[in-house]
Amino acid sequence: MGFSGDVFGWFSNDLAIDLGTATTLVYVHGKGIVLNEPSVVAVEKKSEKVLAVGAEAKKMLGRTPGNITAIRPMKEGVIADFEMAEQMLKYFIRKAHNRSAFVRPRIIIGVPSRITQVEQRAVRDSAELAGAREVYLIEEPVAAAIGAGLPITEPSGNMVVDVGGGTTDIAVISLGGIVYSESVKVAGDRMDEAIMNYIKKKYNLLIGEHMAERIKVEIGSAYPFEERKTMMIKGRDLISGIPRTLVVDDAEIREALQEPIGTIVNAIKVALENTPPELAGDIIDRGIVLTGGGSLLKGMDTRFREETNLPIITVDDPLTSVVLGVGKILDELDLLRKVSVMSQCSSLR
């Protein structure tokens, strides 16, 4: 889509944001990534007063007294709690600008590729209310491809698999736009849930989100390790009601993760089946680029390589590729003309 002329003069207070389900990253024009914090807000229930945002609020998840609740405003890549998303964005924008309340930046936000018009409006409105002067939305796979340094403006096929916290976005990109995309609401969070459910079902042990995430990071994998790995975990026994510890191994956690990883593999296969033949030839040569925080699960590249018989390229820092891609658009204005931006919110009058 086209841009009004005044857009092509970005200022140093303009921001690029990767508004993720698990983590929000903020990039300031000319400075780089200035903020990388969990997408969590802690609120006092009665007064609805915001007590903490980001890293401080995440520490409170599952550990709050009755009068405090820790909320994740984003669910499966989209806004689930509008007011909290606005408060969170407001906090992050101010923190990126050294707590100045007078800055009204222009913002580009990365969003999932299959986001609906209503969901787009929710993101734009919350950013506006948080203090943005203008808001632009760009599909996360396009941003991730730019951040990974792919030549997406050329007439050749690039395939990106972006495994985030709430969604996995798969896209075939050519000439700066998405030729075909597939999005599934299965990613890092669903893997944590699968581990929690498995431990609950097999051992009658209730574990929290923090513990599930730790298990995933330490011994979770999509492909068998050469050596067996074990981990001691803590939780509450569902029968006796008292705390208990037990040891689990990597094979069990791999079994727990079988369903979410299988869903992502199937989505990749669907995307490959729907790719035009000329672009499919490019993907055979170039491979699939794997990015997003969820792709840090050990052995994921090996599993995808085995399932698709295609080369799998893992980017250097998969957590930051989306925000770096959006940031690159802030820094290199000619990219704005070359990539398809999902939608624009006009200047506030």
Side-chain angles (χ1 to χ4, degrees):
M1 68 150 282
F3 285 85
S4 53
D6 69 328
V7 171
F8 295 102
W10 297 93
F11 300 109
S12 60
N13 59 13
D14 291 325
L15 305 174
I17 297 178
D18 174 10
L19 188 61
T21 306
T23 312
T24 296
L25 292 97
V26 179
Y27 180 108
V28 175
H29 177 52
K31 292 180 185 171
I33 299 168
V34 296
L35 188 140
N36 179 349
E37 293 206 29
S39 304
V40 184
V41 182
V43 184
E44 193 173 44
K45 280 184 186 171
K46 281 185 183 173
S47 64
E48 294 190 356
K49 184 187 171 193
V50 174
L51 301 174
V53 179
E56 283 301 308
K58 189 176 182 182
K59 287 177 191 168
M60 299 179 184
L61 266 179
R63 290 194 167 115
T64 55
N67 63 324
I68 299 170
T69 178
I71 297 165
R72 295 179 65 173
M74 307 294 294
K75 187 165 174 63
E76 297 175 342
V78 294
I79 292 174
D81 187 321
F82 186 84
E83 279 182 33
M84 288 304 115
E86 181 203 324
Q87 292 291 338
M88 183 175 79
L89 270 172
K90 194 176 284 181
Y91 172 85
F92 288 149
I93 290 167
R94 285 189 185 176
K95 193 170 180 184
H97 289 134
N98 298 319
R99 315 224 173 259
S100 170
F102 304 107
V103 176
R104 293 186 71 75
R106 279 178 289 191
I107 297 177
I108 307 182
I109 301 176
V111 291
S113 58
R114 289 285 185 96
I115 191 171
T116 65
Q117 291 285 336
V118 173
E119 289 162 348
Q120 284 182 43
R121 169 60 62 189
V123 174
R124 283 202 307 274
D125 287 354
S126 62
E128 270 186 18
L129 290 166
R133 187 167 83 254
E134 280 172 25
V135 182
Y136 300 88
L137 306 183
I138 183 167
E139 287 127 321
E140 282 170 355
V142 174
I146 294 169
L150 297 184
I152 66 157
T153 55
E154 293 175 10
S156 55
N158 297 276
M159 189 172 191
V160 176
V161 176
D162 179 15
V163 188
T167 57
T168 295
D169 264 340
I170 301 146
V172 177
I173 305 163
S174 179
L175 289 168
I178 289 179
V179 177
Y180 180 82
S181 72
E182 193 68 37
S183 186
V184 287
K185 292 180 176 181
V186 175
D189 283 356
R190 195 64 71 85
M191 292 178 202
D192 295 346
E193 275 174 40
I195 292 169
M196 288 164 76
N197 292 336
Y198 180 89
I199 301 293
K200 184 180 174 182
K201 203 171 173 183
K202 185 170 181 179
Y203 294 108
N204 281 318
L205 190 75
L206 200 63
I207 61 169
E209 284 178 43
H210 271 307
M211 180 56 71
E213 193 179 9
R214 269 191 58 206
I215 295 166
K216 178 181 72 179
V217 170
E218 289 187 30
I219 63 167
S221 67
Y223 198 81
F225 292 116
E226 286 182 10
E227 290 178 16
R228 180 172 176 259
K229 291 191 175 193
T230 61
M231 180 179 173
M232 184 176 281
I233 67 169
K234 299 168 187 174
R236 178 165 58 83
D237 192 297
L238 285 167
I239 296 165
S240 68
I242 59 173
R244 177 161 71 95
T245 60
L246 63 92
V247 174
V248 291
D249 68 16
D250 61 288
E252 292 176 290
I253 304 308
R254 207 160 32 255
E255 188 185 328
L257 295 172
Q258 196 60 37
E259 191 187 341
I261 291 167
T263 303
I264 295 170
V265 166
N266 289 339
I268 293 171
K269 288 179 176 175
V270 168
L272 288 166
E273 284 165 14
N274 286 279
T275 301
E278 292 81 2
L279 299 180
D282 295 331
I283 293 164
I284 290 168
D285 295 336
R286 295 179 173 196
I288 297 168
V289 173
L290 187 58
T291 183
S295 71
L296 291 167
L297 182 76
K298 296 175 189 80
M300 198 176 259
D301 52 346
T302 312
R303 172 75 186 270
F304 290 173
R305 192 176 298 121
E306 201 165 84
E307 294 275 3
T308 62
N309 290 319
L310 291 168
I312 306 291
I313 297 100
T314 318
V315 301
D316 290 341
D317 190 355
L319 271 168
T320 63
S321 52
V322 169
V323 79
L324 285 175
V326 186
K328 209 168 182 181
I329 294 170
L330 272 187
D331 291 340
E332 297 177 25
L333 301 179
D334 63 320
L335 265 175
L336 272 174
R337 300 180 182 95
K338 292 177 183 174
V339 298
S340 63
V341 174
M342 199 178 257
S343 60
Q344 172 196 353
C345 157
S346 59
S347 296
L348 295 172
R349 297 286 185 267

